[in-house]
Amino acid sequence: MRTIACTTLVVLTILALVGCDLVDPMRSTPHADTETFGNLLEAAPDPSQANIWIAKIKVGVPRALGRADDARPTPDVAGGIVAVVVVTSDTVVMIDDRPGALLDIGPGTEVVAVPVPGTTTMLGEKEIHMEAAQLMDFATYARWRLPKLQLAGGSAELIEDVDRINSSGVEGGPVPVGDGSVLYFSARLRPPQTPTGAWLGARRKGLPSPADGERSYDRSFRTELGDGGWSTPEPVVFPGAEAAEHVKLTWVSGDERRCYVTVSKADGTPWVGISERPSPADPWGEIVPMEATGEGDAFDAVAMAGSPEKTVFATTRNGSGDLFLHDPAVGPAQQLQAEINTGGLEWGPRIGPANELYFVRGDRQLRFQSGRVEEIRLPGLHRTVLIEAAPSSDGAWLFFASPRFRPGELDLDIHVAPITSDGSLGTATPVDEWRPE
């Protein structure tokens, strides 16, 4: 009986220990994903994994928010919580409004970590764990999410110079011609930051100011690089398209006599048209619908290098964004292969001199070449967002749009980076400052 009793006691003890483990107060439990504010305690590479860094943040309300009337802790910071944040090469790290590296942020700096959805957990009651989609200093965050906050360095500089390409508005869709010294691009204004505020951006000739309740719509512009810099961007005018919503040029021939244009119908559905002219000195003709792209819901059309009769374009007619190719020798336009089209949103096709295909999936700039899709990245330890990439005809330069984090709508600016011999990118330069050697 004593043996049975001892055995029973051992079993009960083991069960008790197992039960304690099941309710271990230090176990990891799922936690709601939320932007986490605090002061950076330390950051270091993860010794066990390449291209992984660990940042420790003392969670707390930023000083500027603590002084505001509507300040509230996000998340609950009672008791001194520490956030352990995994930063990867895929994390977007911003320092003083520019892409940077985690290890360049000094200890004590007020930062904000935006988690990758579904990665936030709580270890006990004192430690949050997450992987960061974005990590930035608080001043950069304030420009983006808290524009009314009175914070030194928190207000964005307003650039409204019509002689420049980049402004506080949205400049994107670069279409370089030749070596890039001629550039077409699209522009629109950004919404006001307050109900009574002004629309933001350069108020260029040909860019209508929105009326009450309206949006700002894309218009295309042309500029040329000379000895004194870029010429003042001039509107690209198409007869009969003045009242259309979006009018966005997406491809132009090397002799500037033929172009493809995306136009939005009154209901917002886009369609692709062609415009031609006898010479670059003549005005553009009316936009004629491109039958090859089908009836409506087509945009971002470009011609293949060396085969201008072949057209690549984007459409959402199948329920998701896909890229199609029209080859008149084959028949109706067909979806491109599965390596390119996925369940995600593929858009922004552009063609390089070797018929390499640049396109965007979500907010990721990709390139399809030699049967393989690869992501296009700028130099740096972490990801810099770039979209709408378009190479010069000699393949030496890549023009693209990159966002600045601003409220209401992101402020897109155009940049240029050299394409190296292995296809990677060199250091990017804002297009207004670009002067090729």
Side-chain angles (χ1 to χ4, degrees):
M1 292 295 293
R2 179 176 296 180
T3 300
I4 295 175
C6 289
T7 302
T8 303
L9 180 60
V10 170
V11 171
L12 290 175
T13 301
I14 292 173
L15 290 175
L17 290 173
V18 171
C20 288
D21 183 64
L22 291 176
V23 294
D24 182 357
M26 291 304 293
R27 67 175 176 158
S28 179
T29 58
H31 191 276
D33 294 315
T34 184
E35 296 171 344
T36 298
F37 301 80
N39 294 84
L40 182 67
L41 295 175
E42 61 180 1
D46 184 340
S48 64
Q49 302 180 80
N51 299 322
I52 300 291
W53 297 262
I54 305 297
K56 293 186 177 180
I57 299 170
K58 182 181 180 181
V59 178
V61 178
R63 290 187 298 273
L65 279 179
R67 293 191 296 267
D69 293 337
D70 61 348
R72 57 187 181 276
T74 51
D76 183 4
V77 298
I81 295 175
V82 171
V84 179
V85 181
V86 176
V87 177
T88 72
S89 59
D90 213 33
T91 303
V92 176
V93 176
M94 302 293 292
I95 307 172
D96 193 24
D97 215 25
R98 295 289 188 273
L102 171 65
L103 298 184
D104 291 335
I105 303 178
T109 302
E110 290 186 323
V111 297
V112 183
V114 181
V116 173
T119 65
T120 307
T121 60
M122 197 79 182
L123 186 64
E125 297 180 352
K126 301 291 185 180
E127 201 168 277
I128 295 175
H129 287 242
M130 69 177 69
E131 179 181 333
Q134 298 165 331
L135 191 145
M136 61 188 69
D137 62 282
F138 183 70
T140 297
Y141 178 88
R143 295 185 192 100
W144 179 27
R145 296 295 196 193
L146 305 168
K148 298 180 182 179
L149 187 66
Q150 297 299 315
L151 178 69
S155 299
E157 178 187 6
L158 295 181
I159 301 173
E160 300 181 334
D161 187 350
V162 296
D163 292 328
R164 292 171 52 89
I165 298 173
N166 290 329
S167 77
S168 296
V170 179
E171 287 81 28
V175 180
V177 180
D179 61 3
S181 58
V182 170
L183 178 67
Y184 290 81
F185 67 96
S186 65
R188 65 178 181 272
L189 301 174
R190 283 196 305 114
Q193 295 183 6
T194 64
T196 58
W199 287 78
L200 304 172
R203 296 178 177 269
R204 312 175 198 274
K205 181 174 63 175
L207 185 62
S209 295
D212 291 342
E214 289 186 348
R215 296 181 296 155
S216 180
Y217 298 110
D218 286 302
R219 288 294 185 269
S220 290
F221 297 84
R222 180 191 184 277
T223 181
E224 188 167 353
L225 184 62
D227 293 338
W230 291 99
S231 63
T232 299
E234 293 292 332
V236 181
V237 178
F238 301 102
E242 295 83 2
E245 292 188 347
H246 293 289
V247 181
K248 184 175 180 179
L249 185 152
T250 59
W251 174 84
V252 62
S253 61
D255 59 8
E256 296 188 76
R257 295 172 54 189
R258 191 167 189 256
C259 69
Y260 295 165
V261 188
T262 298
V263 185
S264 290
K265 297 180 180 179
D267 64 0
T269 302
W271 57 276
V272 170
I274 304 173
S275 178
E276 297 181 317
R277 57 184 176 179
S279 76
D282 293 305
W284 288 102
E286 290 188 5
I287 303 173
V288 178
M290 182 186 292
E291 296 181 1
T293 60
E295 297 182 3
D297 196 7
F299 53 99
D300 284 349
V302 292
M304 297 289 288
S307 303
E309 72 282 358
K310 298 178 183 178
T311 303
V312 178
F313 63 96
T315 178
T316 58
R317 63 185 57 151
N318 288 348
S320 64
D322 286 325
L323 302 186
F324 277 59
L325 170 66
H326 171 69
D327 182 349
V330 174
Q334 302 291 323
Q335 280 181 290
L336 294 179
Q337 52 263 60
E339 294 91 341
I340 296 171
N341 288 321
T342 66
L345 174 63
E346 282 81 29
W347 60 284
R350 296 293 185 268
I351 301 296
N355 275 324
E356 64 271 35
L357 172 65
Y358 291 83
F359 68 100
V360 187
R361 180 178 296 148
D363 69 347
R364 308 242 175 198
Q365 182 63 56
L366 306 175
R367 178 175 58 208
F368 178 75
Q369 190 172 20
S370 301
R372 185 165 59 93
V373 173
E374 59 183 352
E375 184 174 2
I376 301 298
R377 295 181 66 109
L378 287 167
L381 298 176
H382 311 292
R383 183 168 81 98
T384 298
V385 179
L386 63 119
I387 56 174
E388 298 186 306
S392 57
S393 62
D394 57 6
W397 301 94
L398 192 71
F399 292 71
F400 58 89
S402 190
R404 303 182 77 175
F405 291 90
R406 297 292 183 265
E409 182 177 3
L410 296 180
D411 173 4
L412 289 183
D413 286 338
I414 297 173
H415 292 71
V416 189
I419 303 175
T420 66
S421 58
D422 64 0
S424 62
L425 298 184
T427 302
T429 302
V431 68
D432 288 288
E433 302 170 13
W434 180 62
R435 302 292 184 270
E437 296 181 357

